[in-house]
Amino acid sequence: MNQPTLEISWAENGEIHSALWRSENGSPPPKRVQIADDTLTADAAYRLASEGTALLWRGDYQNARQLLQAMARRMDQRGKGKKNSAAPEFPAAFHLHRQAQAQRARTLGMLIVPLNADYTIPLRRAQDVAQACEEAYGIANAETPSSIDSIVSLRELLGIIGAHEWRKNGVPVNALGGKSIHPHYGVFSPVRGEYVDLVANAPLPAAVLNGGTAIDIGVGSGILSAVLAQCGVKNIIATDQDPRALACSTANIQRLGFAQQVSIVEANLFPSAKADLIVCNPPWLPAKANAAIEYALYDPDSQMLRGFLSGLAEHLNNNGEGWLIISDLAEHLKLRGRETLLGWIEAAGLTVIDRIDTRPKHGKAFDREDPLFSARSKEITSLWRLGVSG
């Protein structure tokens, strides 16, 4: 778990106060802090936040949530007003979109709230967030002498609450017969089902079905290991190096009854073993992640993708297969060309046995208002079946 190590300071009632600063996306503590309450208007709040002034809320908690929504509406209206017919092409349009997302997060993150040592919120009409915060931050330290143990942006806190609901309710997975995966905070939720269905429906190598070993690289929530186990694979080694992913996948595999089939180990990509099938669903876009949760989406310089391909041949048994699950969105955004991917495959001593394609069915693929719609509408998700050359 990430623990806060930075402090935020502010003036209040003629005194200087300080508290621990929590930020899962690594944002530094704001340098300018102003006390705010229910008398603050949305226009004034938006202006101050845009200028880099954090608003430490002392009013009604539910009013703070409404204020955050009002600030978001103003930001969205401002963004729509900047649109013009001479929009840049990709990849410039993608980078501008990412910059806008980062700016939005910074501005809306300026509305901040206090958390007591036991994760209670000392505000009127505050909801109970203790369990959600423990799942994200770790067990509360109720013995901390300070009445205000930490400060967090309301936007992050609402994300933690939303993640708690995902974890509690779970995500039903068709490939598991409708059983659910329960994602933890900071672990990517398998809400895009097309890549899961690709794995569920691809033909398994005979050696795997006859007692051979499969490896799931970057296990995350445990979804692909669970699907392989559901399909009859008896020996699965699942790896990850993120503590949250290891805890999440372990809990899901146990809940689904696959603990005898799946061994979860901490490793950077490959374990020491060889296998008849090695599956990897790396982040699909070669770009910098702005927050911890985004590492499931963005792979700077395609490091995980290239690491998987370069190490695959030496970890496969004879006639084994490597399954690379990836979309071509990076190609449509002009962040990486198809020829580059094929070049990496060839350079790694691999050959393409087959490629199974499907089209995404998520909402953004059909949302014409999405800034990346022209690329998303062409996206294809593929399972590349790879073997060792020669």
Side-chain angles (χ1 to χ4, degrees), residues 29 57 85 138 168 263 276 282 295 305 335:
W57 194 254
S85 57
K168 180 174 66 175
S263 299
D276 303 290
Y295 282 109
L305 170 59
L335 300 174

Side-chain angles (χ1 to χ4, degrees), residues 203-214 228 231-235 276-277 317:
L204 289 166
V208 174
L209 291 174
N210 292 327
T213 299
L228 291 174
C231 291
V233 182
K234 300 299 183 184
N235 302 299
D276 303 290
L277 174 65
N317 289 327

Side-chain angles (χ1 to χ4, degrees), residues 57-133:
W57 194 254
R58 295 302 193 195
D60 182 90
Y61 174 77
Q62 300 301 331
N63 287 348
R65 295 187 60 162
Q66 293 178 9
L67 178 62
L68 185 64
Q69 294 174 355
M71 292 168 63
R73 288 194 297 270
R74 281 157 176 76
M75 195 161 202
D76 292 341
Q77 290 168 359
R78 180 186 176 190
K80 289 180 180 179
K82 288 185 176 182
K83 288 184 178 180
N84 56 70
S85 57
E89 297 182 353
F90 296 125
F94 169 77
H95 294 306
L96 287 173
H97 172 62
R98 293 281 289 146
Q99 290 175 11
Q101 286 182 315
Q103 179 59 45
R104 177 186 174 87
R106 283 193 296 269
T107 300
L108 298 181
M110 287 295 170
L111 183 56
I112 58 180
V113 295
L115 276 178
N116 285 335
D118 60 356
Y119 296 143
T120 55
I121 305 173
L123 299 173
R124 295 189 307 276
R125 291 202 296 165
Q127 66 188 112
D128 183 354
V129 300
Q131 185 175 352
C133 286

Side-chain angles (χ1 to χ4, degrees), residues 177-199:
K179 296 177 182 178
S180 293
I181 288 288
H182 295 256
H184 291 193
Y185 179 76
V187 179
F188 190 68
S189 177
V191 291
R192 286 187 58 165
E194 81 271 7
Y195 76 96
V196 178
D197 291 337
L198 282 174
V199 173

Side-chain angles (χ1 to χ4, degrees), residues 1 40 46 122 144 149 192 214 226 245 266 289 299 301 342 363 371:
M1 300 284 182
L40 184 67
Y46 176 64
T144 300
D149 182 47
R192 286 187 58 165
E266 182 178 355
D299 182 16
D301 197 31
L342 293 175

